[in-house]
Amino acid sequence: MASSTSLLLPTAAAAAAARRSPSGHRAPPSAARHVVACASAASAGSLDALIFDCDGVILESEHLHRQAYNDAFAHFGVSCEPGSAAATDAPLYWDEAFYDDLQNRIGGGKPKMRWYFGENGWPTSKIFETPPSSDSDKEKLTWKTERYKEILKSGTVKPRPGVLRLMDEVKGAGIKLAVCSAATKSSVIMCLENLIGLERFNGLDCFLAGDDVKLKKPDPSIYIAAAEKLGVQSQNCLVVEDSVIGLQAAKGAGMSCIITYTPSTANQDFSDAIATYPDLSNVGLEDLKLLLQKSLPLGVFKINQMLDSEDADTFFENFCTVL
């Protein structure tokens, strides 16, 4: 083991030399960092990509989705099968308390409806005299998406505070920017075009929606696919989410995650997030870089701190002697 270690790690003399220029002056910390890159994994934790969720992060959308569901239920006279616990003479209506619980447990619009109607019986409506039985007929119960698009087009919906500024700051620094949403692709595109503008939308380095992966959040598939498409390591990605479902997806993909909670998610357990905020108003790029560095394993973070300190020569000599 000793011989293999010596191939990877610099000697104390080499470390000290790396801290000196040919003229004998101190070389910048980056030169010394390069010498022990293999040993310290000092490049880990650099912010290479910032990934936004859409609903709840770019916009507060829970009440908009609930409105779209209920408008669709009313328009088409949707009601659950007689005899089911949810059966009423009036069209189906999801109240705020029920929807907050539902959307915090199940990601994506279609999965929500499949779960609900699977539990309470597939509905009758003006378009189905009897409950639909085939998968193709069940897919027709997705007109809610079109209503949601109409709401977004109304011009009354605005992005959450700090989102556009942070997006511009990240792109201006040459860091990759992505959006990953569990929602239907057509509705996410409509949302982004209307809220962040065509120029920002077309400038995204990666955009993935629920249609692009087989499994929805909290499954990590969408974030794993994003890292592959972006060409970055998962540990160098930072995700912005608003719910524990999204947090679990990010963590499952090996990514750090910050939370910008909404009124409906504020009481969730975000202990696995590296930071939690009410919104992004006071969050800047440098804050995110520091957060990601601090999320590294303690040993690697300490190495990075020492590499940038005035005592780096002593650190390298001790580091190499111990190893």
Side-chain angles (χ1 to χ4, degrees), residues 45-305:
S46 64
L47 180 57
D48 294 340
L50 183 65
I51 307 176
F52 284 83
D53 177 33
C54 186
D55 290 323
V57 173
I58 294 176
L59 76 160
E60 283 195 27
S61 57
E62 292 91 348
H63 64 294
L64 303 177
H65 280 290
R66 189 172 71 87
Q67 177 186 339
Y69 281 116
N70 288 331
D71 287 352
F73 295 153
H75 182 74
F76 289 100
V78 174
S79 59
C80 289
E81 288 184 276
S84 73
T88 64
D89 293 333
L92 180 63
Y93 181 85
W94 287 346
D95 63 27
E96 184 175 349
F98 171 79
Y99 187 73
D100 281 352
D101 179 64
L102 178 64
Q103 69 96 19
N104 288 328
R105 289 191 292 120
I106 300 174
K110 293 177 183 178
K112 284 183 177 67
M113 287 193 287
R114 290 193 189 101
W115 177 86
Y116 182 85
F117 294 130
E119 291 289 313
N120 296 284
W122 281 86
T124 58
S125 67
K126 293 178 183 178
I127 58 174
F128 291 119
E129 292 184 0
T130 59
S133 56
S134 69
D135 289 340
S136 60
D137 280 347
K138 291 176 181 179
E139 287 296 315
K140 293 177 183 177
L141 297 174
T142 57
W143 5 255
K144 168 262 173 184
T145 298
E146 298 308 312
R147 175 60 183 140
Y148 181 66
K149 291 179 187 177
E150 291 177 4
I151 297 173
L152 292 177
K153 288 179 183 177
S154 68
T156 61
V157 183
K158 304 296 181 184
R160 293 190 70 189
V163 168
L164 300 186
R165 172 193 50 77
L166 186 56
M167 283 185 168
D168 292 343
E169 194 175 353
V170 166
K171 287 296 288 186
I175 295 170
K176 293 181 177 180
L177 183 66
V179 172
C180 292
S181 171
T184 304
K185 180 164 253 179
S186 60
S187 67
V188 183
I189 291 174
M190 179 66 66
C191 171
L192 295 177
E193 288 180 345
N194 281 273
L195 293 182
I196 72 173
L198 282 173
E199 184 176 352
R200 289 189 186 90
F201 176 62
N202 292 330
L204 292 174
D205 298 288
C206 174
F207 163 59
L208 295 175
D211 316 56
D212 295 312
V213 290
K214 291 183 178 180
L215 298 175
K216 309 285 188 183
K217 302 174 186 178
D219 186 271
S221 298
I222 196 166
Y223 287 127
I224 293 172
E228 292 174 353
K229 188 171 182 180
L230 290 165
V232 298
Q233 297 297 313
S234 60
Q235 67 266 27
N236 294 333
C237 297
L238 182 59
V239 176
V240 187
E241 276 282 358
D242 70 302
S243 70
V244 70
I245 287 178
L247 172 60
Q248 290 169 350
K251 295 293 289 183
M255 299 178 181
S256 296
C257 181
I258 67 169
I259 293 292
T260 58
Y261 55 82
T262 67
S264 69
T265 65
N267 295 323
Q268 294 184 5
D269 179 8
F270 296 128
S271 56
D272 283 337
I274 62 173
T276 304
Y277 304 100
D279 58 48
L280 295 172
S281 296
N282 299 311
V283 181
L285 176 57
E286 292 306 313
D287 300 314
L288 300 183
K289 288 180 177 179
L290 183 59
L291 283 169
L292 193 59
Q293 281 287 315
K294 286 185 175 180
S295 72
L296 292 171
L298 181 61
V300 176
F301 178 57
K302 289 293 186 183
I303 288 171
N304 279 332
Q305 282 187 314

